[in-house]
Amino acid sequence: MKLPNTPNVTRRSFVASVGAATVLPPATALLADSAEAAPLAAHHGATAPTEPGQSVYLFFNVAEARFIEAACERLIPADESGAGALAAGVPNYLDKQLGGAWGAGERLYRSGPWLPGTPSQGYQLPFTPAELFHTALRAINQDLDKGGTAFGDLSAQAQDTYLKGLEAGGQDLDGVPSAVFFDMLLRMTIEGFFSDPVYGGNRAMVAWRMIGFPGAYADYYEAIDQHGVKFERAPMSIGEDRHGHVHVQPAIPATL
Amino acid sequence: MSPNNTRGWKSGVGLVIFAAAYVAQAPLADAADTKSAVPPGAVPCQACHGGHGEGRTAVNAPRIAGQTAHYIEKQLRDFASGTRENLVMGGIAKSLSDADRAKVAAYYASLSVPGVAGGARPSAALAARGHELAVQGAEARRVQACNNCHGPEGGGAGLSAPYLAGQMASYLASQLKSWQQGTRRNDAGNLMASVATRLDDTDIAAVTAYYAGLGAAAP
Amino acid sequence: MVQRLKEVDVVVIGVGMVGSILSKELAAAGYKVVGLERGQARFTVPEFQSPAIHDELRFDVRKALMQDNTREPVTFRNNSSQTALPVRRWESFLPGTGLGGSMVHWNGQTYRFQANDFELATRTRERYGKGFLDPDITIQDWGVTYEELEPHFDRFEYLLGTSGKAGNIKGQIMPGGDPHESPRAREYPTPPMKEHFQGALFRKAAISLGYHPFPQPSSNLSQPYTNPEGMKLNTCVFCGFCERYACEHYAKSTPQTVILPVLLANQNFELRTGCQVQRINLDSTRKRATGVNYIDAAGREFEQPAALVITSSFAINNVRMLLLSGIGKPYDPGTGKGVVGRNYAYQTMSTVASFFDQDVIINPFMASGASGTLINDFAGDNFDHAGLGFIGGAFIGAVNTNGRPIQYHPVPPGTPAWGKGWKDAVLKHYNHTVMFSLHGSSVSQRQNYLDLDPTYRDAWGQPLLRMTFDFPPNDLKMAAYVTAKAVEIGKAMGAKQVNGSPRKGPYTTQQYQTTHNTGGTVMGKDPSTSVVNRYLQCWDVPNVFVIGASNYPQNASWNPTGTLGALTYWAADALKNKYLKNPGQLVPT
């Protein structure tokens, strides 16, 4: 369990991290009107699990987790069609990936020199994904602290405005261009939403159910002849056993 | 359906066995079957397939409880057309209307599969080979893992392939033989024939014992 | 300390499909062959089994079957005025690695270039006149004709078992096939794949506009097949995990399913995996190769002497091998002199999205890598280019291969990139959209080339390949033209909304656009504009043969693999029946 050891930990977030049930970050209030609010109301983004099946954060500290949970939920919000990023476990996905081999720079060419490059040349920074997130999140939280309100405490509209500001670029997050951070956050949020639940996101295959994607077991030899007919089978995960329980296994390497 | 209804029944040994079995076993309805009312077509089914759809090895009638309705309906159609050859089932299937088949299939799909013992325990070598074929396949045979299509731990994969876990070993073996011999030809794309014709008798004994040994899928 | 091994007859660099075929042909002819593959051995069982293989994050997004950028990327710039920088993560093109090479994780789309393509320079001049082309364009004739290659196309397709419908058998146009194709001797080995709903919608619309739709030729098979090597393949089940994945069903034609077991059983062949070839060694005359040096997985360096060296790696890696070995004169775009690295080309890809109402259920996830229906009416030189200001064209088809949601979630233009508006659009359109692929040709131009990077190195300390490329204006004009035609087909399908996305410059490495990198070791009749002769033998070093799409002087409107298969059997024939019987330069210079 990652202890809050940064100087920016407030008393409030510290209390939240030890699971004080009476202290609920306002971010969860954003979900109060959604169908997913009830199961999530107890989830603080704290390092202590607050309901069965919730994962402990191993990469994000408390302040980082609060930003990530709120930000992901703005990127893919819960609404009348169903769960958003939070209920789907996207922050958990991010936590496990950034804390694992991918975060540490799996498959990334890491030698210098590092020159800015054109958009056609892609990513040219030395940061691994893990370093990039820690660096950017620290800078973001420091910036927000100056305004006195943590990201998780802002209104949804204010959160969107802030995210659009990051997206537009022009901010230097201690060496990480804000647009680069935003792009990686958005990509990984979509990954966490739509990837196989074996990685810890797309919980209960909620995102696949929303679009009707059947998942990892995929034999359509007969069904393909039924042009225009909906394929009515529950989605299936790489990690599920024959009782339908998904065994999460996030440390799958990016090689064969 | 009255036991004396001989509409559409083939004469011969099958009928005699069927009639004897039917007389010996009265149709059951108990607490476990309350998920849906027993449709008329299901009553003769129980004589061979058991009161809970658990199957009977003596007549090579497989467990059908918890199988998908889609699969059961297709088998009934194929028995009727003859792409799946079976003396007894051919007659039964022909005697059922499309509506009957749908009802019967839905009924058995709704049954939970009771847990049963897997039968005789295979040898360690056979068990290992069966497990290997099921979860991984065999390159030397050019055979892929059964579970690719038959689902996690052979539990079935919806509209594509039936469950194998907890199915009778002797029944599974008889079907692999039928694919080999061509008496069962209702596998679209020759998918099962391609696999079965590359298995030898030891492979068949191994993989069928493995799946039977998985017992039934608990809900 | 380099350990020198015993000399063999042939060393083959790269054991993908090309390396497997050549090794098998030569081993069967009695020659001692060593195949050096830098990646690991892998087979259908156990490595390619599902459900583990059906993992979009791992194989699509993270490119698990591809060359590891950590050890060996390339560098890239759009033009010579820029500094090339490392492609730190693959996106645009995805070089594979491992036994079986890229044809393990290809889509199975199997085409023949047309007769016109092999003599593109001559025929373009004849049809459109000398001044028609942009002066920067450097298209060339191949030095071999379609007619010479036809029996080798046939052999390759029968090796794979390709499923399709012939359009032209010995000059007779066959209904249901592609009437534009160049004549073939006989039907495809297996019948066409089933058509998915998208393909059916496309076909009706294309016919209504007077075009000639046909089923995509597919090396994911429509039925069980036994090839001439005795290898058995199964029926494809349309699982929708084709490109970037390996097939668990023995249904995709890969070296593993069509030839490798036969090769590996031959005592004349020895496979060594985990071996990164560093260079081809030359003697003091610089006109004869003596073998290769390689470093194995444990970091030990070996010299493998051989009488004949074949480099059959992925296209761009063939080019790099010659540059690292000092074989052939490197191309200099400033002077226009030199040949190695010259005429690098790619593929010009555009798309059209057709959005339907909620009652039209597409099921995009039901597909093989080579499903669907397409037209060649606007491909190659199949239409009159007079007055259009460009050459080349694209095949247009409803050939979508998957519905894997991390990367496939089409939304109309103007949809926000995130938030509720994005989510609503994704849910609304996921199962109700048809995507067309417009697979466009790529001319060579003098500014586009490959050479060695001056700054960045791989994990073995060798200079990376440097790629200098941008879309020739010719190809962007072509893309705009064919996209407009394809939009009309979308409208004729009755879609509610149709949006065309023609390819625009500059070329970016950050968006996937095929792994159809061609050129750099071009074949031809003139040593001043080619690296290899028409038998794929190096002009400068006659005991080195280079076989790959690196031989293509420019790229045509179709996937390169089918044509590469033909060149491979063509070269195997030349090696067995000409070169090895009498080693020496096969074409007088």
Side-chain angles (χ1 to χ4, degrees):
Chain A
M1 167 173 144
K2 188 151 186 187
L3 295 174
N5 55 4
T6 70
N8 293 320
V9 173
T10 64
R11 181 181 176 278
R12 179 186 208 144
S13 57
F14 180 73
V15 167
S17 80
V18 298
T22 53
V23 179
L24 296 178
T28 58
L30 298 171
L31 305 168
D33 295 330
S34 87
E36 303 307 315
L40 287 182
H43 180 63
H44 307 178
T47 51
T50 51
E51 58 179 79
Q54 285 286 16
S55 293
V56 172
Y57 285 129
L58 303 172
F59 175 84
F60 293 126
N61 66 31
V62 168
E64 291 170 334
R66 291 194 65 205
F67 175 88
I68 288 292
E69 290 186 344
C72 289
E73 186 64 12
R74 294 318 302 153
L75 297 178
I76 306 182
D79 61 11
E80 67 282 356
S81 33
L86 203 45
V90 169
N92 177 48
Y93 165 84
L94 280 162
D95 183 75
K96 300 306 173 286
Q97 294 310 308
L98 292 169
W102 189 256
E106 197 179 18
R107 289 201 162 261
L108 178 67
Y109 183 78
R110 295 183 59 192
S111 296
W114 298 273
L115 301 172
T118 66
S120 296
Q121 291 173 311
Y123 184 79
Q124 295 297 333
L125 295 169
F127 301 107
T128 63
E131 290 165 346
L132 191 139
F133 266 73
H134 276 324
T135 303
L137 289 172
R138 186 172 48 236
I140 284 170
N141 281 334
Q142 278 173 355
D143 178 48
L144 286 165
D145 282 349
K146 286 193 198 118
T149 313
F151 187 81
D153 298 331
L154 295 171
S155 70
Q157 196 171 13
Q159 288 175 338
D160 284 354
T161 303
Y162 189 84
L163 289 172
K164 284 182 187 151
L166 293 176
E167 183 183 22
Q171 282 183 65
D172 183 314
L173 304 173
D174 203 8
V176 178
S178 70
V180 173
F181 167 70
F182 182 87
D183 178 69
M184 201 178 284
L185 176 65
L186 178 59
R187 280 173 190 254
M188 292 187 77
T189 297
I190 294 173
E191 287 168 14
F193 198 63
F194 281 130
S195 54
D196 193 291
V198 75
Y199 288 99
N202 191 12
R203 225 180 259 150
M205 291 174 262
V206 63
W208 288 354
R209 284 177 214 282
M210 270 190 262
I211 57 174
F213 176 67
Y217 287 85
D219 164 12
Y220 304 118
Y221 187 77
E222 292 178 78
I224 201 167
D225 292 326
Q226 311 296 313
H227 287 184
V229 175
K230 196 152 199 304
F231 186 74
E232 307 275 13
R233 191 205 75 193
M236 297 177 76
S237 160
I238 289 168
E240 76 178 68
D241 61 26
R242 82 186 130 98
H243 310 302
H245 301 137
V246 175
H247 301 263
V248 171
Q249 213 281 78
I252 298 172
T255 53
L256 185 63
Chain B
M1 190 191 258
S2 126
N4 293 320
N5 187 341
T6 56
R7 181 183 57 200
W9 292 83
K10 287 210 167 139
S11 60
V13 170
L15 176 59
V16 172
I17 288 176
F18 173 83
Y22 183 73
V23 165
Q25 184 134 337
L28 299 172
D30 65 20
D33 296 340
T34 52
K35 277 199 179 137
S36 55
V38 179
V43 169
C45 310
Q46 289 182 342
C48 290
H49 289 283
H52 307 274
E54 73 275 21
R56 287 180 60 210
T57 48
V59 293
N60 201 35
R63 158 177 289 137
I64 54 177
Q67 199 52 275
T68 65
H70 173 263
Y71 180 74
I72 296 175
E73 272 193 78
K74 179 180 191 305
Q75 300 316 303
L76 290 171
R77 274 199 307 276
D78 297 340
F79 281 128
S81 73
T83 54
R84 184 173 174 180
E85 294 178 17
N86 187 292
L87 201 59
V88 173
M89 283 309 301
I92 293 171
K94 284 199 186 111
S95 76
L96 297 175
S97 67
D98 284 347
D100 286 339
R101 289 180 197 156
K103 278 203 199 114
V104 155
Y107 168 69
Y108 278 105
S110 75
L111 298 183
S112 61
V113 185
V116 290
R121 290 197 67 76
S123 68
L126 215 58
R129 177 62 172 174
H131 175 250
E132 184 188 21
L133 288 169
V135 308
Q136 188 165 275
E139 184 63 32
R141 299 266 190 271
R142 308 274 185 268
V143 157
Q144 50 161 314
C146 313
N147 291 350
N148 283 344
C149 292
H150 285 281
E153 301 173 280
L159 302 173
S160 318
Y163 68 68
L164 303 176
Q167 186 55 276
M168 288 155 26
S170 53
Y171 169 75
L172 289 175
S174 73
Q175 294 316 297
L176 288 169
K177 285 288 180 199
S178 293
W179 297 119
Q180 284 181 347
Q181 289 154 9
T183 50
R184 183 169 175 178
R185 298 178 299 282
N186 67 336
D187 55 334
N190 304 108
L191 292 166
M192 277 311 301
S194 299
V195 166
T197 49
R198 292 174 206 168
L199 300 175
D200 67 15
D201 288 345
T202 310
D203 294 332
I204 290 177
V207 75
T208 56
Y210 168 77
Y211 278 119
L214 288 183
Chain C
M1 187 64 213
V2 181
Q3 185 184 336
R4 191 165 199 273
L5 302 170
K6 195 158 151 325
E7 173 159 330
V8 295
D9 298 317
V10 191
V11 69
V12 170
I13 306 172
V15 190
M17 182 65 85
V18 176
S20 297
I21 289 175
L22 290 169
S23 296
K24 188 263 164 184
E25 291 296 302
L26 297 178
Y31 297 98
K32 290 270 184 280
V33 182
V34 164
L36 298 172
E37 167 54 44
R38 66 183 175 174
Q40 296 307 306
R42 63 249 173 114
F43 297 93
T44 305
V45 173
E47 280 84 14
F48 303 163
Q49 291 305 296
S50 77
I53 204 80
H54 290 171
D55 183 339
E56 186 189 2
L57 182 71
R58 187 179 187 195
F59 294 102
D60 246 306
V61 178
R62 300 207 170 146
K63 326 285 196 290
L65 286 172
M66 310 307 167
Q67 191 171 319
D68 188 350
N69 303 70
T70 307
R71 305 212 290 172
E72 191 185 344
V74 302
T75 65
F76 167 79
R77 59 185 180 180
N78 279 125
N79 58 64
S80 298
S81 73
Q82 298 173 348
T83 302
L85 297 179
V87 177
R88 296 181 183 270
R89 288 208 198 280
W90 303 121
E91 291 294 348
S92 166
F93 54 91
L94 312 178
T97 198
L99 182 64
S102 306
M103 278 182 73
V104 165
H105 50 79
W106 72 313
N107 250 336
Q109 299 173 11
T110 313
Y111 293 96
R112 301 184 180 193
F113 288 178
Q114 294 178 338
N116 194 73
D117 295 307
F118 296 97
E119 298 168 301
L120 191 64
T122 300
R123 297 205 189 186
T124 301
R125 232 175 4 250
E126 281 170 358
R127 187 170 183 185
Y128 300 111
K130 258 196 188 155
F132 189 77
L133 283 179
D134 185 336
D136 282 343
I137 291 177
T138 53
I139 57 169
Q140 293 170 203
D141 296 350
W142 292 46
V144 71
T145 64
Y146 173 85
E147 286 72 27
E148 290 176 299
L149 290 179
E150 202 288 326
H152 306 285
F153 274 116
D154 179 284
R155 190 164 180 203
F156 187 60
E157 286 163 5
Y158 272 74
L159 178 77
L160 268 46
T162 307
S163 301
K165 184 89 195 72
N168 179 337
I169 296 184
K170 295 181 185 161
Q172 188 186 355
I173 302 298
M174 314 295 292
D178 172 20
H180 297 104
E181 73 179 9
S182 297
R184 53 177 67 231
R186 54 178 173 162
E187 256 299 353
Y188 283 87
T190 54
M193 289 282 267
K194 297 196 208 190
E195 185 175 62
H196 54 22
F197 187 30
Q198 305 189 53
L201 290 168
F202 178 89
R203 185 165 42 79
K204 281 202 203 78
I207 287 172
S208 78
L209 295 173
Y211 304 141
H212 306 86
F214 64 98
Q216 179 164 210
S218 169
S219 296
N220 309 300
L221 300 196
S222 61
Q223 63 186 37
Y225 175 75
T226 304
N227 77 5
E229 302 286 349
M231 299 294 303
K232 289 176 159 30
L233 289 98
N234 293 338
T235 309
C236 166
V237 298
F238 301 93
C239 75
F241 287 91
C242 211
E243 80 269 31
R244 307 189 194 185
Y245 301 81
C247 177
E248 73 269 33
H249 294 290
Y250 295 94
K252 177 152 69 176
S253 311
T254 67
Q256 280 80 349
T257 57
V258 304
I259 196 167
L260 264 173
V262 173
L263 170 62
L264 294 172
N266 190 313
Q267 300 298 314
N268 285 333
F269 177 75
E270 185 193 336
L271 173 68
R272 296 182 202 148
T273 56
C275 293
Q276 183 88 1
V277 175
Q278 300 299 296
R279 65 176 180 279
I280 300 169
N281 299 318
L282 302 176
D283 73 5
S284 53
T285 69
R286 315 282 304 158
K287 291 187 192 309
R288 191 179 71 90
T290 60
V292 305
N293 266 41
Y294 68 88
I295 297 178
D296 76 359
R300 297 171 295 212
E301 187 165 358
F302 296 88
E303 181 194 342
Q304 176 59 69
L308 168 65
V309 176
I310 298 174
T311 173
S312 52
S313 311
F314 181 63
I316 56 177
N317 293 327
N318 278 346
V319 181
R320 184 168 179 243
M321 185 58 61
L322 294 191
L323 291 169
L324 291 174
S325 309
I327 296 175
K329 189 168 150 80
Y331 174 71
D332 175 351
T335 62
K337 298 271 187 281
V339 288
V340 184
R342 186 174 174 284
N343 274 32
Y344 170 71
Y346 187 47
Q347 204 83 70
T348 314
M349 302 298 289
S350 307
T351 57
V352 169
S354 300
F355 300 97
F356 288 85
D357 275 330
Q358 299 296 292
D359 58 328
V360 179
I361 310 240
I362 299 295
N363 295 333
F365 43 84
M366 298 185 190
S368 79
S371 285
T373 308
L374 66 143
I375 59 168
N376 274 334
D377 295 73
F378 295 105
D381 199 38
N382 296 339
F383 58 108
D384 187 357
H385 290 68
L388 294 180
F390 65 85
I391 59 162
F395 80 63
I396 300 171
V399 295
N400 193 46
T401 65
N402 76 92
R404 305 185 293 259
I406 300 174
Q407 304 208 307
Y408 179 87
H409 44 262
V411 292
T415 302
W418 51 276
K420 181 168 165 59
W422 175 84
K423 186 186 179 194
D424 284 344
V426 167
L427 301 187
K428 184 175 179 190
H429 296 291
Y430 174 79
N431 206 357
H432 313 286
T433 305
V434 174
M435 296 298 299
F436 293 169
S437 179
L438 282 57
H439 195 277
S441 49
S442 180
V443 296
S444 311
Q445 64 175 17
R446 55 170 196 77
Q447 302 95 321
N448 292 339
Y449 73 109
L450 303 172
D451 69 349
L452 292 178
D453 193 275
T455 306
Y456 296 95
R457 294 184 175 259
D458 67 11
W460 294 266
Q462 300 251 58
L464 296 180
L465 185 74
R466 178 168 65 178
M467 175 184 290
T468 305
F469 176 82
D470 204 348
F471 292 114
N474 178 87
D475 294 342
L476 298 179
K477 284 191 201 121
M478 176 276 294
Y481 180 86
V482 301
T483 303
K485 296 291 183 192
V487 165
E488 296 308 309
I489 302 175
K491 291 182 181 155
M493 287 197 308
K496 200 164 179 188
Q497 178 179 346
V498 182
N499 295 106
S501 302
R503 180 57 49 186
K504 297 241 157 78
Y507 165 68
T508 173
T509 60
Q510 297 306 297
Q511 185 199 23
Y512 181 69
Q513 294 154 74
T514 80
T515 305
H516 304 161
N517 314 78
T518 65
T521 68
V522 165
M523 62 189 290
K525 289 193 161 153
D526 178 355
S528 71
T529 55
S530 56
V531 174
V532 299
N533 62 29
R534 68 196 228 102
Y535 300 111
L536 311 186
Q537 176 188 37
C538 259
W539 292 112
D540 287 7
V541 185
N543 69 333
V544 173
F545 281 67
V546 184
I547 295 126
S550 47
N551 297 337
Y552 296 17
Q554 59 276 333
N555 204 3
S557 301
W558 302 275
N559 310 51
T561 304
T563 299
L564 179 54
L567 282 179
T568 303
Y569 275 117
W570 162 260
D573 194 49
L575 281 162
K576 281 191 304 185
N577 299 323
K578 296 193 212 297
Y579 178 81
L580 285 164
K581 296 204 158 125
N582 186 15
Q585 181 51 256
L586 295 176
V587 177
T589 46

